[in-house]
């Protein structure tokens, strides 16, 4: 109850408005099922690492294409309507895998999942600014990431449950995950659609060139690259953690998949605690501690061959990476308060890092094993260490 009260801003938002928005954050987390799903598809179809890593790469490729146009769309139809469109596309993407299991079918499904999530992440985060503002924004976005992380860590649990129970006899298996999340998508559409949210006056009309021109601002560019590294580490760990256990400890996928769940458990805990910590301490200090934790964790994953230290490393990445997005996003929005829609589009375009990192990690893993994949993620962590020095205080 106290956590919920901390998210409200007197005179501007209400519990009845916050709950539907947070349900949308839960739906936003559906994109993270791609790591779990790609491992199961790899097993079912006998794919290589580079072939399987095409799935998460394809999902996040669409952030490059749709993020900036979505920022322009919000100027025309509003943020809430744009979120509703994203939920509809997400629901369709979750239904398609139930109709087949071929490689092309999954490519189409993951493409639509990426498109829907690109639109959602671009529009939902600035929609929060209609309810919360000022120094509470970073902590509120972090709480939204906490809700999102719940959906993320439930994905491997639901998939493993479906794969190991009687469900395979009905032809569902691990794909029961898609049915459950599709139902939640439709629920989110209904609840948000019925919720009145008064939006601020739309930003000035702008084109793609005007949006991309914001990257000429040094700090906005730094934020953009920071988002790329954050999501690259997130998707990379999500996908690679089980493969590390399978490679070094010869665990089956159903057991190794717990590594993904462990990552999301600690990312969820980090988001929840971060919503309170960021209200009490400097964002720069907390961000620096989080990144240092990830750097130490990468060292563990590079050199360790036993279960406990690998689990510790995965957990540290989950906790450390949990608040990176919300801090960077809040920094970018407050740096350009009159261009929130455009800045949001640019920052979400940075989720294209979820394409770049898995592709590079897949080729590195094919060549040198999973240590190569970890080395690629370490590059992203080193950049975030540099970004820590550039974080500004928000008033």
């Amino acid at each position: 109850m106290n956590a919920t009260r901390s998210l409200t801003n007197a005179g501007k938002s209400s519990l009845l408005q916050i709950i539907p928005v947070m349900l949308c954050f839960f739906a936003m987390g559906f994109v993270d099922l791609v790591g779990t799903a790609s491992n199961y598809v790899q097993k079912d179809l006998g794919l290589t690492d580079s072939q399987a890593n095409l799935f998460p790469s394809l999902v996040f490729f669409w952030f490059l294409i749709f993020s900036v146009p979505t920022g322009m769309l919000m100027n025309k139809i509003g943020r809430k309507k744009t979120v509703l469109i994203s939920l509809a596309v997400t629901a369709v993407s979750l239904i398609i895998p139930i109709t087949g299991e071929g490689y092309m079918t999954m490519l189409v499904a993951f493409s639509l999942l990426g498109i829907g999530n690109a639109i959602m992440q671009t529009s939902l985060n600035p929609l929060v600014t209609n309810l919360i503002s000022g120094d509470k924004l970073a902590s509120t976005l972090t709480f939204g990431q906490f809700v999102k992380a719940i959906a993320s860590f439930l994905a491997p649990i639901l998939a493993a449950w479906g794969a190991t129970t009687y469900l395979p006899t009905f032809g569902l298996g691990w794909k029961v995950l898609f049915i459950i999340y599709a139902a939640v998508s439709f629920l989110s559409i209904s609840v948000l659609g019925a919720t009145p949210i008064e939006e601020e006056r739309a930003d000035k009309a702008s084109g793609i060139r005007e949006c991309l021109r914001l990257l000429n601002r040094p700090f906005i560019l730094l934020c953009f690259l920071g988002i790329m590294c954050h999501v690259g580490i997130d998707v990379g760990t999500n996908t690679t953690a089980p493969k590390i256990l399978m490679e070094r400890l010869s665990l089956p996928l159903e057991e190794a998949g717990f590594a993904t769940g462990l990552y999301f458990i600690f990312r969820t805990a980090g988001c929840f605690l971060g919503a309170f910590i960021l209200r009490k301490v400097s964002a720069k200090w907390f961000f620096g501690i989080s990144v240092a934790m990830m750097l130490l964790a990468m060292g563990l994953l590079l050199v360790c061959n036993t279960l406990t230290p690998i689990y510790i490393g995965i957990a540290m990445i989950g906790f450390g990476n949990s608040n990176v997005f919300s801090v960077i996003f809040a920094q970018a929005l407050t740096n350009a308060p009159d261009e929130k829609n455009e800045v949001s589009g640019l920052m979400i375009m940075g989720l294209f890092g979820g394409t770049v990192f898995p592709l590079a990690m897949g080729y590195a893993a094919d060549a040198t094993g999973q240590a190569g994949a970890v080395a690629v993620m370490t590059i992203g962590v080193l950049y975030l260490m540099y970004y820590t020095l550039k974080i500004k205080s928000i008033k």
Side-chain angles (χ1 to χ4, degrees):
M1 180 64 71
N2 290 333
T4 302
R5 287 198 189 103
S6 70
L7 294 176
T8 59
N9 190 13
K12 195 172 182 181
S13 62
S14 70
L15 183 62
L16 293 179
Q17 292 173 310
I18 290 291
I19 290 176
V21 170
M22 289 300 155
L23 183 59
C24 292
F25 270 102
F26 185 86
M28 186 191 292
F30 297 168
V31 72
D32 290 323
L33 66 81
V34 66
T36 296
S38 63
N39 285 327
Y40 279 98
V41 174
Q42 180 178 13
K43 178 183 177 182
D44 292 345
L45 302 181
L47 306 177
T48 65
D49 279 341
S50 55
Q51 289 174 323
N53 280 14
L54 179 61
F55 292 122
S57 295
L58 184 62
V59 166
F60 289 95
F61 167 77
W62 299 107
F63 285 84
L64 178 67
I65 305 298
F66 279 88
S67 299
V68 170
T70 298
M72 298 162 57
L73 178 64
M74 284 190 290
N75 286 337
K76 294 182 178 181
I77 69 173
R79 296 164 183 171
K80 176 182 168 181
K81 290 181 180 178
T82 307
V83 173
L84 290 172
I85 291 174
S86 72
L87 289 168
V89 175
T90 299
V92 173
S93 73
L94 294 169
I95 293 173
I96 289 178
I98 309 302
T99 66
E101 56 185 15
Y103 191 69
M104 290 304 299
T105 298
M106 300 306 295
L107 286 177
V108 171
F110 286 145
S111 291
L112 287 176
L113 180 63
I115 293 170
N117 206 262
I119 299 172
M120 189 183 307
Q121 297 220 36
T122 305
S123 54
L124 184 57
N125 287 293
L127 181 63
V128 173
T129 65
N130 293 118
L131 306 174
I132 303 293
S133 63
D135 58 358
K136 297 180 177 64
L137 180 58
S139 62
T140 303
L141 291 176
T142 291
F143 191 83
Q145 292 298 307
F146 160 68
V147 176
K148 173 180 179 287
I150 295 175
S152 301
F153 92 78
L154 282 177
I157 296 174
L158 293 172
W161 171 69
T164 57
T165 63
Y166 65 88
L167 289 170
T169 62
F170 293 93
L172 294 175
W174 63 272
K175 290 185 180 181
V176 68
L177 169 67
F178 292 105
I179 295 179
I180 295 172
Y181 280 179
V184 177
S185 295
F186 286 115
L187 176 62
S188 300
I189 293 172
S190 301
V191 174
L192 182 64
T195 302
I197 297 178
E198 182 179 352
E199 299 187 32
E200 62 193 37
R201 190 173 183 178
D203 296 345
K204 63 183 183 298
S206 57
I208 293 178
R209 180 178 299 179
E210 287 75 17
C211 293
L212 294 178
R213 190 174 294 161
L214 291 172
L215 290 175
N216 290 329
R217 301 182 188 180
F219 188 71
I220 295 296
L221 178 60
L222 287 173
C223 292
F224 175 80
L225 295 175
I227 294 290
M228 285 192 68
C229 292
H230 157 72
V231 74
I233 296 165
D234 184 64
V235 177
T237 306
N238 183 5
T239 305
T240 302
K243 296 177 182 178
I244 293 175
L245 296 179
M246 290 188 287
E247 176 186 85
R248 300 179 188 176
L249 302 176
S250 300
L251 294 180
L253 176 58
E254 288 74 17
E255 293 182 28
F258 174 72
T260 299
L262 180 67
Y263 169 75
F264 284 119
I265 287 172
F266 277 84
R267 199 183 78 171
T268 302
C271 288
F272 180 76
L273 293 175
F276 300 98
I277 295 174
L278 284 168
R279 300 172 71 88
K280 302 294 183 181
V281 304
S282 163
K284 186 171 186 175
W285 180 87
F286 187 54
F287 192 94
I289 294 296
S290 299
V291 176
M293 185 181 298
M294 286 195 287
L295 187 60
L296 177 60
M298 292 298 170
L300 290 176
L301 296 187
L302 280 170
V303 302
C304 294
N305 293 302
T306 54
L307 188 63
T308 299
I310 292 176
Y311 274 166
I312 291 174
I314 293 169
M316 290 174 66
I317 297 173
F319 192 91
N321 207 28
S322 58
N323 298 285
V324 169
F325 176 85
S326 56
V327 172
I328 295 178
F329 201 93
Q331 289 275 314
L333 288 179
T334 55
N335 185 262
D338 297 326
E339 298 157 310
K340 291 178 182 177
N341 289 350
E342 290 82 356
V343 170
S344 178
L346 285 175
M347 292 303 105
I348 300 305
M349 187 172 72
L351 270 66
F352 178 66
T355 293
V356 176
F357 274 72
L359 280 178
M361 291 168 63
Y363 286 112
D366 284 344
T368 64
Q370 298 306 321
V374 176
V376 173
M377 289 193 291
T378 304
I379 295 173
V381 177
L382 291 174
Y383 175 82
L384 292 176
M385 290 288 290
Y386 169 74
Y387 178 83
T388 304
L389 303 176
K390 306 297 181 179
I391 293 178
K392 304 175 182 179
S393 60
I394 298 177
K395 299 180 180 180

